[in-house]
Amino acid sequence: MAGLNEQQRQAVTATEGFIRVIAGAGSGKTRALSHRFAYLVNEIGIMPSNILCVTFTNKSAQEMKHRIRRLCGDNDTGYISTFHSFCVTVLQEDINAVHYPKSFLVLDNSDINDMLKIIYEERGLTLRHMTFSKARDMIEIRKLFKDPEYYKFMVSLSLEELHLKYLNAVETEDIIFWGYLYQEKKCFGLDYNDLIKYVLHIFSLDAGIRLKWQQRLEYIMIDEYQDIDELQYRLMKVLCDYHKNLFIVGDPDQTIYTWRGARLKYLLDFDQEFPQVRTIMMMENYRSTPQILAAANSLIGNNKNRISKVLLPMLPDGVPVVYHHAKTAEEEAKWIALQIKELAAQGVKLSDVTILYRAHFISRTLEEVFLKEKLPYTIYSGVQFFGRMEIKDTLSYLRLIVYKDDLSFLRVANVPKRNIGVRRMKFLKDYAAQNQCSLYSALERTIDHEIFKGTKAKGFLDLIESFSARYQTVPVSDLLNSLLDQSGYEAMLRTEGSQERLDNLAELKQSVYEYETTSGEENTLESYLSHTGLLTNADTAAGKNTVKLMTVHTAKGLEFPYVFLCGLGEGVFPSKKTKTLEAMEEERRLAFVAFTRAEKALYLTDAEGRNLDGSYRYPSRFIFNVDKNLLVYTAELDEGLVKESNWQIGSSEKLIEAKSSEFPFQPGDRIVHSIMGAGEVMGINREKAAYLIKFDNLGTVRNISLRAKIEGENSRN
């Protein structure tokens, strides 16, 4: 208990029943979670293997494991993982309930693209029919909403029946969707959406399996509860239904993923959903200065749909929050560069400086200016680490050793070059199709065929077989080193002179080593491959002394000494796509998240210039949402600009309110317009927040905005 404040102590010692912790930004929720885990284990005597602790990123799961290991002094850390990782654990134990092998594949976007390539090639589709990105989105939408019980087809239909549905499909969407399900079942692959769906399906099919997991998980803790979606909510309700011990931590002011399915109501209405809920408020902030918190509290206070709370600063006074308005995006970037150079001159490391923005396009001007000013920077986005060519190649080699699946085979059979080109690969595909076998098996059976004379196909088979025979008895790190050497892959990169790719391989080796030292009994090649399949972004560029550039969404859960939040213009942040009150409140929560990433100093900037669509850019309403006394303006805004901005923002808010509210008049109602006179409402255009009105003295119907002064004809009389 040493070092915990009163609210943290309450959270740690509240062990039984349904507990909701509203934890403000920087209030030490990770500390409370890890200490609660240790309290259950060390003080009460609960076995770690009977505790489930869910986090929302693999990185935070690893951090939690490290903290708990230090507190408990034990390598057994129970189930500390993301929802998806936990589902992999359940499926590795019980997926045979739906006749899948325990050696199923966890698919990432790169694997899905590889499957799409096969489908497009087989059915003559091109990117004009649908891009891979849109195809992936379409598949996800169909799985979640249009065909939510698709998994029953995957489980109940044979491979031949699924193949027939794919071949009989005519529409592009159907071809891709059924082709994808067929490809998934062919290699027993599951993507993110499948993992929770399959677990819920197995729990509904087999009461024995469901009860086993319910009884095993005596205590369930969920971090970042404000980000939970419907499937995760359903899974959580099932799991906690036996012991009825559920401890959730979240902050409704940091809900920024509703576009990904998160539902704020699960946190706000938790006390209505579960019996005798105890709510603990953790508001003491140990991250940011009082000046930063005052601005953040002032901003978020404008939201209506929230639990009223105020972050309490625990750090001493710091510097004021600065706001700078520039005439152009280039001037904005130059001002930021100048401030960073001044900080550096005071001894601040560049790696302590982070620039946040709402959308990726904002970074272009920053990059141009930083290159001219010779300010080194790293963009935390782009190609994710585990999606890079050399990483995918290496993982495909490891996967082939275990699963001998088609996706991995297609990726590495001819890398490095073994003279297994298009013609020979077509031969193998035809043979596999005719004999209903995998491509690897096809090569095994036809290796003596004359088509493979003069190739290195036999050496490739021998390589994979030799590793397949011993991978279960060799540490993953040793296996990886030997494989990269004996396959000739590392030598190929050296020949190409690709130092960056070699550096990435070195980083992969480091990640394997870290996995081995933290995973305990899970330290198998299969577990490691499942782990990497669930990683979303390991592009950390650790150790570089460069300025960090990233979107606010990417920064969620992180903290930085010096933060510049740029591009704070209407139509950019908040986004011009914001059409409802709920969406506007989410944009404001996103700005609140950005504010509360800063520890020592926060700088807010915007530029007039132009938006991408040509509209004039006014300062964001989020600047005006903060009490002016809490910001230091580098120069006073022009009165005319403030007046125009307030008018623009006011008009926008009226429009949004109108779209979100009930329309006072309905089709058929008689109305009187203050200028146009009497008429009849013919229809409503919610998107434009307008009535379609046929005025008595006009021959055609007009679109009339809700801003207009309109009264009911009877009320006028």
Side-chain angles (χ1 to χ4, degrees):
M1 293 296 158
L4 298 181
N5 65 35
E6 179 55 34
Q7 290 71 34
Q8 290 170 337
R9 281 170 179 261
Q10 287 180 27
V12 166
T13 55
T15 60
E16 306 306 307
F18 296 95
I19 317 292
R20 174 176 64 175
V21 177
I22 304 297
S27 61
K29 65 183 178 60
T30 306
R31 182 181 179 83
L33 276 165
S34 53
H35 279 256
R36 185 176 190 268
F37 193 111
Y39 182 81
L40 289 169
V41 173
N42 294 346
E43 305 300 325
I44 296 182
I46 304 300
M47 303 299 293
S49 54
N50 294 126
I51 303 171
L52 169 64
C53 182
V54 178
T55 67
F56 267 76
T57 67
N58 286 282
K59 185 179 177 184
S60 54
Q62 288 304 313
E63 183 187 341
M64 190 77 73
K65 283 182 181 178
H66 282 304
R67 289 191 185 211
I68 288 168
R69 196 169 283 116
R70 283 201 303 270
L71 291 166
C72 297
D74 190 346
N75 275 341
D76 184 0
T77 50
Y79 301 100
I80 302 174
S81 63
T82 63
F83 272 110
H84 293 100
S85 294
F86 173 71
C87 287
V88 169
T89 303
V90 174
L91 294 172
Q92 284 173 337
E93 194 170 312
D94 290 313
I95 199 170
N96 50 13
V98 289
H99 309 295
Y100 265 59
K102 291 183 179 180
S103 58
F104 63 91
L105 282 174
V106 179
L107 305 171
D108 61 17
N109 277 349
S110 178
D111 297 321
I112 297 170
N113 285 349
D114 290 341
M115 289 178 169
L116 292 173
K117 283 175 194 168
I118 295 169
I119 296 164
Y120 280 43
E121 187 179 310
E122 287 179 348
R123 296 298 301 268
L125 298 178
T126 68
L127 296 180
R128 288 183 180 178
H129 289 94
M130 193 179 292
T131 64
F132 282 5
S133 175
K134 285 188 177 173
R136 289 198 310 269
D137 289 345
M138 178 273 294
I139 291 166
E140 181 169 17
I141 288 166
R142 281 189 69 153
K143 281 188 169 186
L144 290 176
F145 306 112
K146 292 185 180 177
D147 298 292
E149 298 199 333
Y150 70 90
Y151 56 90
K152 291 182 179 177
F153 288 110
M154 290 179 70
V155 169
S156 63
L157 296 183
S158 68
L159 194 60
E160 291 73 21
E161 289 170 317
L162 261 181
H163 193 218
L164 202 59
K165 284 188 84 71
Y166 160 52
L167 293 178
N168 289 337
V170 177
E171 298 295 326
T172 300
E173 272 200 17
D174 290 337
I175 291 170
I176 294 170
F177 185 67
W178 290 106
Y180 176 66
L181 295 192
Y182 166 68
Q183 288 293 335
E184 274 197 293
K185 179 144 188 173
K186 192 177 173 187
C187 67
F188 293 112
L190 300 179
D191 62 26
Y192 272 34
N193 294 309
D194 301 327
L195 294 171
I196 296 183
K197 286 266 190 177
Y198 269 57
V199 169
L200 285 169
H201 182 53
I202 289 168
F203 283 172
S204 69
L205 282 179
D206 195 315
I209 292 175
R210 181 176 71 244
L211 184 61
K212 175 185 73 174
W213 284 98
Q214 287 174 331
Q215 290 180 333
R216 185 182 298 180
L217 303 175
E218 296 173 2
Y219 294 88
I220 297 173
M221 300 191 280
I222 300 179
D223 192 12
E224 304 286 7
Y225 193 79
Q226 74 277 353
D227 294 332
I228 203 170
D229 64 27
E230 186 193 349
L231 282 177
Q232 293 162 345
Y233 181 74
R234 282 169 52 196
L235 177 62
M236 174 214 71
K237 280 197 76 174
V238 171
L239 291 173
C240 74
D241 198 41
Y242 183 80
H243 293 291
K244 302 192 186 302
N245 285 326
L246 178 61
F247 177 91
I248 66 161
V249 183
D251 182 3
D253 289 336
Q254 294 187 71
T255 302
I256 59 173
Y257 291 118
T258 60
W259 51 274
R260 215 164 61 185
R263 293 290 174 265
L264 181 57
K265 68 174 184 179
Y266 294 140
L267 179 58
L268 293 180
D269 299 342
F270 188 80
D271 54 340
Q272 297 170 36
E273 185 66 30
F274 297 98
Q276 296 178 313
V277 170
R278 180 180 174 190
T279 296
I280 298 166
M281 305 289 282
M282 281 172 39
M283 293 300 111
E284 295 182 0
N285 178 288
Y286 297 87
R287 176 189 299 159
S288 308
T289 64
Q291 286 80 356
I292 293 168
L293 292 185
N297 284 327
S298 181
L299 169 73
I300 201 62
N302 289 271
N303 272 8
K304 304 291 187 290
N305 189 28
R306 64 188 292 260
I307 294 174
S308 182
K309 60 186 179 62
V310 175
L311 292 175
L312 304 172
M314 304 306 291
L315 297 181
D317 266 355
V319 297
V321 177
V322 175
Y323 166 56
H324 178 74
H325 174 78
K327 288 293 181 185
T328 66
E330 186 179 8
E331 286 183 20
E332 179 186 15
K334 284 180 177 176
W335 184 85
I336 291 171
L338 179 64
Q339 304 311 306
I340 293 172
K341 285 187 171 183
E342 287 182 4
L343 287 171
Q346 296 165 21
V348 173
K349 291 188 296 186
L350 293 181
S351 55
D352 282 347
V353 179
T354 301
I355 301 176
L356 303 180
Y357 37 74
R358 175 67 177 86
H360 281 297
F361 74 84
I362 296 290
S363 72
R364 184 187 60 79
T365 312
L366 288 164
E367 288 186 74
E368 289 175 1
V369 169
F370 279 25
L371 287 169
K372 285 178 191 170
E373 298 291 331
K374 294 185 171 53
L375 266 177
Y377 63 89
T378 300
I379 293 186
Y380 282 59
S381 63
V383 180
Q384 296 174 352
F385 181 78
F386 282 87
R388 289 171 176 166
M389 182 198 83
E390 61 278 11
I391 304 304
K392 283 300 294 181
D393 287 348
T394 305
L395 293 177
S396 292
Y397 265 112
L398 290 173
R399 257 181 21 178
L400 198 59
I401 290 168
V402 181
Y403 305 114
K404 296 181 178 169
D405 62 293
D406 287 0
L407 293 179
S408 301
F409 183 88
L410 284 167
R411 187 167 187 104
V412 299
N414 203 37
V415 181
K417 292 278 190 288
R418 299 186 177 93
N419 210 13
I420 309 174
V422 176
R423 183 171 66 91
R424 292 183 175 93
M425 200 60 84
K426 184 178 186 307
F427 170 82
L428 288 173
K429 287 178 181 176
D430 291 343
Y431 183 93
Q434 290 162 15
N435 294 275
Q436 290 291 297
C437 67
S438 69
L439 293 173
Y440 185 87
S441 181
L443 181 60
E444 280 185 306
R445 297 181 197 181
T446 62
I447 192 63
D448 295 326
H449 192 284
E450 63 179 16
I451 196 171
F452 292 113
K453 284 180 182 175
T455 72
K456 296 179 181 177
K458 181 69 167 66
F460 176 65
L461 278 181
D462 292 343
L463 175 81
I464 301 303
E465 284 304 309
S466 69
F467 280 98
S468 290
R470 61 191 179 93
Y471 79 85
Q472 291 174 316
T473 60
V474 179
V476 181
S477 54
D478 291 349
L479 195 78
L480 177 61
N481 286 326
S482 300
L483 185 62
L484 288 169
D485 178 38
Q486 293 179 34
S487 66
Y489 190 84
E490 204 158 13
M492 176 192 78
L493 292 186
R494 285 203 177 89
T495 304
E496 291 174 358
S498 180
Q499 188 56 48
E500 186 178 349
R501 295 194 188 284
L502 288 167
D503 289 344
N504 286 337
L505 278 189
E507 186 67 26
L508 179 67
K509 291 175 185 177
Q510 179 63 23
S511 85
V512 171
Y513 174 73
E514 287 175 2
Y515 180 78
E516 285 179 331
T517 57
T518 59
S519 58
E521 291 180 1
E522 299 165 13
N523 185 12
T524 64
L525 181 55
E526 292 99 323
S527 296
Y528 176 70
L529 290 170
S530 294
H531 166 75
T532 59
L534 292 167
L535 290 171
T536 52
N537 191 3
D539 193 1
T540 57
K544 291 185 180 178
N545 188 32
T546 60
V547 178
K548 301 180 183 77
L549 275 67
M550 66 184 78
T551 64
V552 183
H553 280 104
T554 303
K556 176 73 162 47
L558 304 175
E559 53 193 41
F560 316 100
Y562 300 87
V563 169
F564 290 81
L565 177 57
C566 66
L568 270 170
E570 281 292 305
V572 177
F573 198 2
S575 165
K576 66 179 179 183
K577 296 176 183 174
T578 310
K579 305 291 186 187
T580 64
L581 285 173
E582 292 79 13
M584 185 57 75
E585 292 215 339
E586 175 143 351
E587 287 287 296
R588 191 174 284 108
R589 290 194 295 267
L590 189 59
F592 174 78
V593 165
F595 279 35
T596 54
R597 296 314 91 197
E599 297 172 336
K600 296 180 179 180
L602 174 63
Y603 303 82
L604 311 175
T605 70
D606 77 299
E608 290 180 20
R610 296 266 170 193
N611 283 343
L612 289 181
D613 62 358
S615 60
Y616 193 76
R617 189 186 301 167
Y618 299 98
S620 168
R621 68 192 68 196
F622 301 149
I623 296 292
F624 300 118
N625 281 167
V626 178
D627 187 328
K628 194 166 184 289
N629 296 326
L630 301 176
L631 301 178
V632 170
Y633 284 47
T634 57
E636 283 299 321
L637 292 176
D638 178 76
E639 280 186 28
L641 177 64
V642 173
K643 194 173 181 181
E644 284 182 48
S645 298
N646 287 333
W647 186 87
Q648 183 74 22
I649 292 165
S651 298
S652 161
E653 287 179 347
K654 282 180 186 173
L655 199 61
I656 287 173
E657 284 174 16
K659 288 180 184 178
S660 303
S661 63
E662 289 299 315
F663 281 57
F665 303 110
Q666 298 301 314
D669 287 351
R670 294 286 302 172
I671 57 89
V672 177
H673 187 287
S674 59
I675 295 172
M676 307 296 282
E680 182 181 338
V681 176
M682 309 302 292
I684 291 172
N685 185 333
R686 285 199 171 271
E687 184 57 30
K688 291 184 177 178
Y691 290 112
L692 289 137
I693 298 177
K694 170 67 177 70
F695 290 105
D696 296 348
N697 59 346
L698 295 176
T700 54
V701 173
R702 303 295 160 87
N703 280 284
I704 301 296
S705 166
L706 282 185
R707 298 176 192 171
K709 292 179 181 176
I710 299 173
E711 297 177 0
E713 193 172 58
N714 292 336
S715 63
R716 170 67 70 90
N717 294 337

